[in-house]
Amino acid sequence: MRTNLDFAPFYRSSIGFDRIFDLLENASLNADNWPPYNIVKLGEDAYRIAIAAAGFAEDELTITHEANMLVVNGVKSEDEEVQYLHHALPVRPFVRRFELADHMIVEGAKLENGLLVITLRKEIPEEMKPRRIAIETEMTKPASKQIDGDKAA
């Protein structure tokens, strides 16, 4: 399912948003819905991803945090000595990719009751937070103050 949207008008009037347009173009490429997962917003800057990983052991799962990308791999080791009479449990290899916003950090991951739970947090560096710029007059010297994110908006 490819998008039929033409982003050319946006390219003419915006600078530095190439990544967003690429995300929109490639959104349909991640169409595989295996394994199922939930994304939960826990607070203003806290998130949790829960992936159904029933049948996988910790050593069969790999989580990689690359630049703005979280990649979860699951590869089940084959036991060649097992002879299945009926094999219906869907334990197949998977790769699940999640695009992350800037300044997202992975706090941790745990495998619990068949769910792989990954906790994330958005942490904006101090130098990126809004700050008040003083207006210079002849009587005063410029001074900049750090302001809270709530007051900046």
Short mmCIF file of all heavy atoms in Angstrom, two decimals, residues 18-68:
data_model
loop_
_atom_site.label_atom_id
_atom_site.label_comp_id
_atom_site.label_asym_id
_atom_site.label_seq_id
_atom_site.Cartn_x
_atom_site.Cartn_y
_atom_site.Cartn_z
N ASP A 18 12.77 16.48 6.03
CA ASP A 18 12.91 15.34 5.12
C ASP A 18 12.60 14.02 5.82
O ASP A 18 11.97 13.14 5.24
CB ASP A 18 14.32 15.29 4.54
CG ASP A 18 14.69 16.55 3.79
OD1 ASP A 18 13.76 17.30 3.42
OD2 ASP A 18 15.88 16.78 3.59
N ARG A 19 13.04 13.88 7.06
CA ARG A 19 12.84 12.63 7.80
C ARG A 19 11.36 12.35 7.99
O ARG A 19 10.90 11.21 7.90
CB ARG A 19 13.55 12.72 9.15
CG ARG A 19 13.50 11.45 9.93
CD ARG A 19 14.45 11.52 11.13
NE ARG A 19 14.14 10.42 11.99
CZ ARG A 19 13.41 10.51 13.09
NH1 ARG A 19 12.95 11.66 13.49
NH2 ARG A 19 13.15 9.45 13.82
N ILE A 20 10.56 13.39 8.26
CA ILE A 20 9.12 13.19 8.46
C ILE A 20 8.47 12.71 7.17
O ILE A 20 7.64 11.80 7.17
CB ILE A 20 8.47 14.50 8.96
CG1 ILE A 20 8.97 14.81 10.37
CG2 ILE A 20 6.95 14.39 8.94
CD1 ILE A 20 8.54 16.14 10.89
N PHE A 21 8.85 13.31 6.05
CA PHE A 21 8.27 12.89 4.78
C PHE A 21 8.69 11.47 4.43
O PHE A 21 7.89 10.69 3.89
CB PHE A 21 8.67 13.86 3.67
CG PHE A 21 8.18 15.27 3.89
CD1 PHE A 21 9.02 16.35 3.73
CD2 PHE A 21 6.87 15.52 4.30
CE1 PHE A 21 8.57 17.64 3.95
CE2 PHE A 21 6.42 16.80 4.52
CZ PHE A 21 7.27 17.87 4.34
N ASP A 22 9.93 11.11 4.75
CA ASP A 22 10.37 9.74 4.52
C ASP A 22 9.58 8.76 5.39
O ASP A 22 9.24 7.66 4.95
CB ASP A 22 11.87 9.60 4.81
CG ASP A 22 12.72 10.32 3.78
OD1 ASP A 22 12.21 10.63 2.68
OD2 ASP A 22 13.90 10.59 4.09
N LEU A 23 9.29 9.15 6.63
CA LEU A 23 8.48 8.30 7.51
C LEU A 23 7.10 8.06 6.92
O LEU A 23 6.58 6.95 6.94
CB LEU A 23 8.35 8.93 8.89
CG LEU A 23 9.54 8.86 9.81
CD1 LEU A 23 9.31 9.73 11.04
CD2 LEU A 23 9.80 7.44 10.21
N LEU A 24 6.49 9.11 6.41
CA LEU A 24 5.16 8.98 5.82
C LEU A 24 5.20 8.10 4.58
O LEU A 24 4.30 7.29 4.35
CB LEU A 24 4.59 10.36 5.48
CG LEU A 24 4.25 11.24 6.68
CD1 LEU A 24 3.90 12.65 6.23
CD2 LEU A 24 3.11 10.64 7.48
N GLU A 25 6.23 8.27 3.77
CA GLU A 25 6.36 7.46 2.55
C GLU A 25 6.55 5.98 2.88
O GLU A 25 6.01 5.11 2.22
CB GLU A 25 7.55 7.94 1.71
CG GLU A 25 7.33 9.24 1.01
CD GLU A 25 6.73 9.06 -0.36
OE1 GLU A 25 6.85 7.97 -0.95
OE2 GLU A 25 6.11 10.01 -0.83
N ASN A 26 7.35 5.70 3.93
CA ASN A 26 7.70 4.32 4.24
C ASN A 26 6.80 3.68 5.29
O ASN A 26 7.05 2.56 5.71
CB ASN A 26 9.16 4.26 4.72
CG ASN A 26 10.11 4.71 3.64
OD1 ASN A 26 9.88 4.48 2.46
ND2 ASN A 26 11.19 5.36 4.04
N ALA A 27 5.77 4.37 5.72
CA ALA A 27 4.89 3.84 6.78
C ALA A 27 4.25 2.52 6.38
O ALA A 27 4.05 1.63 7.20
CB ALA A 27 3.82 4.85 7.14
N SER A 28 3.94 2.37 5.14
CA SER A 28 3.28 1.15 4.70
C SER A 28 4.25 -0.01 4.49
O SER A 28 3.82 -1.15 4.34
CB SER A 28 2.51 1.41 3.40
OG SER A 28 3.41 1.77 2.38
N LEU A 29 5.55 0.25 4.50
CA LEU A 29 6.52 -0.83 4.30
C LEU A 29 6.59 -1.75 5.51
O LEU A 29 6.97 -2.91 5.39
CB LEU A 29 7.91 -0.25 4.00
CG LEU A 29 8.02 0.56 2.72
CD1 LEU A 29 9.43 1.10 2.57
CD2 LEU A 29 7.62 -0.27 1.51
N ASN A 30 6.25 -1.26 6.70
CA ASN A 30 6.27 -2.06 7.91
C ASN A 30 4.89 -2.68 8.13
O ASN A 30 4.30 -2.58 9.20
CB ASN A 30 6.68 -1.20 9.11
CG ASN A 30 7.13 -2.03 10.28
OD1 ASN A 30 7.26 -3.24 10.20
ND2 ASN A 30 7.37 -1.37 11.40
N ALA A 31 4.37 -3.33 7.10
CA ALA A 31 3.00 -3.82 7.13
C ALA A 31 2.85 -5.18 7.82
O ALA A 31 1.74 -5.60 8.08
CB ALA A 31 2.46 -3.90 5.71
N ASP A 32 3.95 -5.86 8.10
CA ASP A 32 3.86 -7.15 8.78
C ASP A 32 3.37 -6.93 10.20
O ASP A 32 3.96 -6.15 10.96
CB ASP A 32 5.23 -7.84 8.78
CG ASP A 32 5.16 -9.23 9.38
OD1 ASP A 32 4.06 -9.80 9.45
OD2 ASP A 32 6.22 -9.74 9.77
N ASN A 33 2.30 -7.57 10.58
CA ASN A 33 1.71 -7.37 11.89
C ASN A 33 2.14 -8.43 12.90
O ASN A 33 1.43 -8.66 13.87
CB ASN A 33 0.19 -7.33 11.78
CG ASN A 33 -0.28 -6.10 11.07
OD1 ASN A 33 0.33 -5.05 11.18
ND2 ASN A 33 -1.35 -6.22 10.31
N TRP A 34 3.26 -9.07 12.66
CA TRP A 34 3.72 -10.10 13.57
C TRP A 34 4.98 -9.66 14.25
O TRP A 34 5.89 -9.20 13.59
CB TRP A 34 3.96 -11.43 12.84
CG TRP A 34 4.33 -12.49 13.80
CD1 TRP A 34 5.58 -12.98 14.04
CD2 TRP A 34 3.44 -13.17 14.67
NE1 TRP A 34 5.52 -13.92 15.01
CE2 TRP A 34 4.21 -14.06 15.41
CE3 TRP A 34 2.08 -13.11 14.91
CZ2 TRP A 34 3.67 -14.89 16.38
CZ3 TRP A 34 1.54 -13.93 15.86
CH2 TRP A 34 2.34 -14.82 16.57
N PRO A 35 5.15 -9.81 15.51
CA PRO A 35 4.16 -10.19 16.50
C PRO A 35 3.32 -8.98 16.92
O PRO A 35 3.73 -7.83 16.72
CB PRO A 35 5.02 -10.67 17.67
CG PRO A 35 6.27 -9.88 17.58
CD PRO A 35 6.49 -9.65 16.11
N PRO A 36 2.17 -9.21 17.51
CA PRO A 36 1.35 -8.08 17.95
C PRO A 36 2.04 -7.32 19.09
O PRO A 36 2.84 -7.90 19.83
CB PRO A 36 0.05 -8.73 18.44
CG PRO A 36 0.34 -10.18 18.57
CD PRO A 36 1.53 -10.51 17.75
N TYR A 37 1.72 -6.04 19.19
CA TYR A 37 2.38 -5.20 20.20
C TYR A 37 1.45 -4.06 20.61
O TYR A 37 0.50 -3.73 19.91
CB TYR A 37 3.70 -4.63 19.67
CG TYR A 37 3.53 -3.72 18.49
CD1 TYR A 37 3.42 -2.34 18.66
CD2 TYR A 37 3.48 -4.22 17.19
CE1 TYR A 37 3.25 -1.50 17.57
CE2 TYR A 37 3.31 -3.40 16.11
CZ TYR A 37 3.21 -2.03 16.31
OH TYR A 37 3.03 -1.20 15.23
N ASN A 38 1.74 -3.47 21.75
CA ASN A 38 1.06 -2.28 22.25
C ASN A 38 2.10 -1.20 22.48
O ASN A 38 3.22 -1.49 22.92
CB ASN A 38 0.35 -2.55 23.58
CG ASN A 38 -0.84 -3.47 23.45
OD1 ASN A 38 -1.43 -3.57 22.38
ND2 ASN A 38 -1.19 -4.13 24.53
N ILE A 39 1.69 0.05 22.25
CA ILE A 39 2.50 1.20 22.62
C ILE A 39 1.65 2.02 23.58
O ILE A 39 0.53 2.39 23.25
CB ILE A 39 2.91 2.04 21.40
CG1 ILE A 39 3.72 1.20 20.42
CG2 ILE A 39 3.71 3.27 21.84
CD1 ILE A 39 4.05 1.91 19.12
N VAL A 40 2.19 2.27 24.77
CA VAL A 40 1.45 2.95 25.82
C VAL A 40 2.20 4.22 26.20
O VAL A 40 3.42 4.19 26.40
CB VAL A 40 1.30 2.05 27.07
CG1 VAL A 40 0.54 2.75 28.17
CG2 VAL A 40 0.64 0.74 26.70
N LYS A 41 1.45 5.32 26.30
CA LYS A 41 2.03 6.56 26.79
C LYS A 41 1.75 6.62 28.29
O LYS A 41 0.61 6.68 28.72
CB LYS A 41 1.43 7.78 26.08
CG LYS A 41 2.08 9.06 26.47
CD LYS A 41 1.63 10.21 25.60
CE LYS A 41 2.39 11.47 26.00
NZ LYS A 41 2.10 12.57 25.13
N LEU A 42 2.81 6.60 29.10
CA LEU A 42 2.68 6.56 30.55
C LEU A 42 2.64 7.94 31.18
O LEU A 42 2.15 8.11 32.28
CB LEU A 42 3.83 5.76 31.16
CG LEU A 42 3.96 4.32 30.68
CD1 LEU A 42 5.25 3.71 31.19
CD2 LEU A 42 2.76 3.51 31.12
N GLY A 43 3.18 8.91 30.51
CA GLY A 43 3.24 10.28 31.02
C GLY A 43 3.63 11.19 29.89
O GLY A 43 3.63 10.79 28.72
N GLU A 44 4.00 12.41 30.24
CA GLU A 44 4.34 13.37 29.19
C GLU A 44 5.55 12.93 28.37
O GLU A 44 5.59 13.11 27.16
CB GLU A 44 4.61 14.74 29.81
CG GLU A 44 4.75 15.84 28.78
CD GLU A 44 4.81 17.21 29.41
OE1 GLU A 44 4.19 17.41 30.46
OE2 GLU A 44 5.46 18.07 28.82
N ASP A 45 6.54 12.31 29.03
CA ASP A 45 7.76 11.91 28.34
C ASP A 45 8.11 10.44 28.55
O ASP A 45 9.25 10.04 28.34
CB ASP A 45 8.93 12.78 28.80
CG ASP A 45 8.77 14.23 28.40
OD1 ASP A 45 8.24 14.48 27.30
OD2 ASP A 45 9.17 15.11 29.18
N ALA A 46 7.14 9.61 28.97
CA ALA A 46 7.42 8.20 29.26
C ALA A 46 6.52 7.31 28.41
O ALA A 46 5.32 7.56 28.27
CB ALA A 46 7.21 7.92 30.74
N TYR A 47 7.12 6.25 27.86
CA TYR A 47 6.40 5.33 26.98
C TYR A 47 6.79 3.90 27.31
O TYR A 47 7.83 3.64 27.89
CB TYR A 47 6.75 5.61 25.51
CG TYR A 47 6.44 7.01 25.07
CD1 TYR A 47 7.36 8.03 25.25
CD2 TYR A 47 5.21 7.32 24.50
CE1 TYR A 47 7.07 9.34 24.87
CE2 TYR A 47 4.92 8.60 24.10
CZ TYR A 47 5.85 9.60 24.29
OH TYR A 47 5.56 10.88 23.91
N ARG A 48 5.93 2.96 26.89
CA ARG A 48 6.21 1.55 27.06
C ARG A 48 5.73 0.82 25.82
O ARG A 48 4.64 1.05 25.31
CB ARG A 48 5.50 1.01 28.29
CG ARG A 48 5.72 -0.48 28.50
CD ARG A 48 5.04 -1.02 29.72
NE ARG A 48 3.79 -0.31 29.95
CZ ARG A 48 3.16 -0.27 31.10
NH1 ARG A 48 3.61 -0.88 32.13
NH2 ARG A 48 2.02 0.37 31.22
N ILE A 49 6.56 -0.10 25.34
CA ILE A 49 6.19 -0.98 24.23
C ILE A 49 6.11 -2.39 24.81
O ILE A 49 7.03 -2.83 25.48
CB ILE A 49 7.25 -0.95 23.10
CG1 ILE A 49 7.40 0.46 22.54
CG2 ILE A 49 6.89 -1.93 22.00
CD1 ILE A 49 8.57 0.62 21.58
N ALA A 50 5.01 -3.07 24.56
CA ALA A 50 4.84 -4.46 25.00
C ALA A 50 4.63 -5.31 23.75
O ALA A 50 3.69 -5.10 23.00
CB ALA A 50 3.65 -4.59 25.94
N ILE A 51 5.54 -6.25 23.54
CA ILE A 51 5.51 -7.12 22.36
C ILE A 51 5.19 -8.53 22.81
O ILE A 51 5.82 -9.05 23.74
CB ILE A 51 6.87 -7.10 21.62
CG1 ILE A 51 7.21 -5.67 21.19
CG2 ILE A 51 6.84 -8.04 20.43
CD1 ILE A 51 8.59 -5.52 20.60
N ALA A 52 4.23 -9.17 22.16
CA ALA A 52 3.88 -10.56 22.46
C ALA A 52 5.01 -11.45 21.97
O ALA A 52 5.19 -11.64 20.77
CB ALA A 52 2.56 -10.93 21.81
N ALA A 53 5.77 -11.98 22.90
CA ALA A 53 6.94 -12.82 22.56
C ALA A 53 6.82 -14.18 23.25
O ALA A 53 7.83 -14.72 23.72
CB ALA A 53 8.22 -12.10 22.95
N ALA A 54 5.62 -14.71 23.29
CA ALA A 54 5.41 -16.00 23.94
C ALA A 54 6.22 -17.07 23.22
O ALA A 54 6.25 -17.14 22.00
CB ALA A 54 3.93 -16.36 23.93
N GLY A 55 6.89 -17.90 23.99
CA GLY A 55 7.68 -18.98 23.42
C GLY A 55 9.14 -18.61 23.20
O GLY A 55 9.95 -19.47 22.91
N PHE A 56 9.48 -17.34 23.34
CA PHE A 56 10.87 -16.91 23.16
C PHE A 56 11.55 -16.76 24.51
O PHE A 56 10.96 -16.24 25.47
CB PHE A 56 10.93 -15.56 22.42
CG PHE A 56 10.64 -15.65 20.97
CD1 PHE A 56 9.35 -15.51 20.50
CD2 PHE A 56 11.65 -15.88 20.05
CE1 PHE A 56 9.06 -15.58 19.16
CE2 PHE A 56 11.37 -15.96 18.70
CZ PHE A 56 10.08 -15.81 18.25
N ALA A 57 12.79 -17.20 24.60
CA ALA A 57 13.60 -17.01 25.80
C ALA A 57 14.38 -15.71 25.65
O ALA A 57 14.48 -15.14 24.55
CB ALA A 57 14.56 -18.19 25.98
N GLU A 58 14.93 -15.23 26.76
CA GLU A 58 15.68 -13.97 26.73
C GLU A 58 16.84 -14.00 25.74
O GLU A 58 17.11 -13.00 25.06
CB GLU A 58 16.21 -13.63 28.12
CG GLU A 58 15.14 -13.20 29.09
CD GLU A 58 15.70 -12.90 30.47
OE1 GLU A 58 16.86 -12.47 30.56
OE2 GLU A 58 14.96 -13.09 31.44
N ASP A 59 17.52 -15.13 25.65
CA ASP A 59 18.68 -15.21 24.75
C ASP A 59 18.27 -15.35 23.28
O ASP A 59 19.13 -15.30 22.40
CB ASP A 59 19.61 -16.35 25.16
CG ASP A 59 18.93 -17.71 25.11
OD1 ASP A 59 17.70 -17.78 25.15
OD2 ASP A 59 19.67 -18.73 25.02
N GLU A 60 16.98 -15.48 23.00
CA GLU A 60 16.50 -15.56 21.62
C GLU A 60 15.96 -14.22 21.12
O GLU A 60 15.53 -14.11 19.99
CB GLU A 60 15.40 -16.63 21.51
CG GLU A 60 15.91 -18.02 21.84
CD GLU A 60 14.81 -19.04 21.98
OE1 GLU A 60 13.68 -18.69 22.37
OE2 GLU A 60 15.09 -20.23 21.69
N LEU A 61 15.99 -13.21 21.99
CA LEU A 61 15.52 -11.87 21.64
C LEU A 61 16.68 -10.89 21.69
O LEU A 61 17.53 -10.96 22.58
CB LEU A 61 14.43 -11.41 22.62
CG LEU A 61 13.15 -12.24 22.62
CD1 LEU A 61 12.31 -11.91 23.85
CD2 LEU A 61 12.36 -11.98 21.35
N THR A 62 16.72 -9.98 20.72
CA THR A 62 17.75 -8.96 20.65
C THR A 62 17.09 -7.61 20.47
O THR A 62 16.24 -7.44 19.59
CB THR A 62 18.71 -9.21 19.47
OG1 THR A 62 19.21 -10.54 19.55
CG2 THR A 62 19.85 -8.23 19.48
N ILE A 63 17.49 -6.64 21.29
CA ILE A 63 16.98 -5.28 21.18
C ILE A 63 18.16 -4.38 20.86
O ILE A 63 19.16 -4.37 21.57
CB ILE A 63 16.31 -4.83 22.49
CG1 ILE A 63 15.20 -5.79 22.88
CG2 ILE A 63 15.79 -3.40 22.36
CD1 ILE A 63 14.67 -5.58 24.28
N THR A 64 18.03 -3.60 19.78
CA THR A 64 19.09 -2.70 19.34
C THR A 64 18.52 -1.30 19.22
O THR A 64 17.51 -1.10 18.56
CB THR A 64 19.66 -3.14 17.97
OG1 THR A 64 20.01 -4.52 18.04
CG2 THR A 64 20.88 -2.32 17.61
N HIS A 65 19.20 -0.33 19.84
CA HIS A 65 18.81 1.07 19.74
C HIS A 65 19.82 1.77 18.85
O HIS A 65 20.96 1.98 19.24
CB HIS A 65 18.76 1.70 21.13
CG HIS A 65 18.29 3.12 21.12
ND1 HIS A 65 18.57 3.99 22.13
CD2 HIS A 65 17.57 3.82 20.22
CE1 HIS A 65 18.03 5.17 21.87
NE2 HIS A 65 17.43 5.08 20.71
N GLU A 66 19.39 2.09 17.64
CA GLU A 66 20.22 2.81 16.69
C GLU A 66 19.74 4.25 16.68
O GLU A 66 18.85 4.62 17.43
CB GLU A 66 20.09 2.17 15.31
CG GLU A 66 20.47 0.69 15.28
CD GLU A 66 20.05 0.00 14.01
OE1 GLU A 66 19.57 0.65 13.08
OE2 GLU A 66 20.20 -1.24 13.96
N ALA A 67 20.31 5.07 15.83
CA ALA A 67 19.89 6.47 15.73
C ALA A 67 18.43 6.55 15.32
O ALA A 67 18.07 6.15 14.21
CB ALA A 67 20.78 7.21 14.74
N ASN A 68 17.57 7.00 16.21
CA ASN A 68 16.14 7.19 15.98
C ASN A 68 15.42 5.90 15.55
O ASN A 68 14.39 5.97 14.90
CB ASN A 68 15.88 8.29 14.95
CG ASN A 68 16.33 9.62 15.46
OD1 ASN A 68 17.51 9.93 15.39
ND2 ASN A 68 15.42 10.41 15.97
#
